[in-house]
Amino acid sequence: ARVLEIARRLSRGEALGTGEEEEEGCQRHREPLEVFCKEDGALLCAICRESRAHRAHTVLPVPEVVREYQGQIQAWLQTLKDDRDKIQEFREAEMRRNW
């Protein structure tokens, strides 16, 4: 659910994170949001990235994260479509059998 919310917000061009950022960037440091903390699911500025709270976390540049999550979401979507098709085929077979 968190990944879908991130993708939805990214596609609308909205900021992500923990509420510490504004449209211009990090509210606390007034720096641009340049990296994404995978553990916390938040966009970070360079100063926040070096804080104790995120220092040991995996962080990636925003464009790389967008590509990664888009790929994951596309894969999950394809799996769901395949499952839906199988369920529909099963349902149709059961309906034919019942007739």
Side-chain angles (χ1 to χ4, degrees), residues 35-44 48-49 51-62 64-65 68-69:
V35 294
F36 182 78
C37 175
K38 291 184 80 171
E39 280 80 354
D40 294 331
L43 289 171
L44 306 173
C48 288
R49 193 277 172 259
S51 71
R52 272 190 225 147
H54 301 285
R55 191 176 301 148
H57 292 177
T58 303
V59 295
L60 297 170
V62 172
E64 186 177 327
V65 172
E68 179 181 326
Y69 280 123

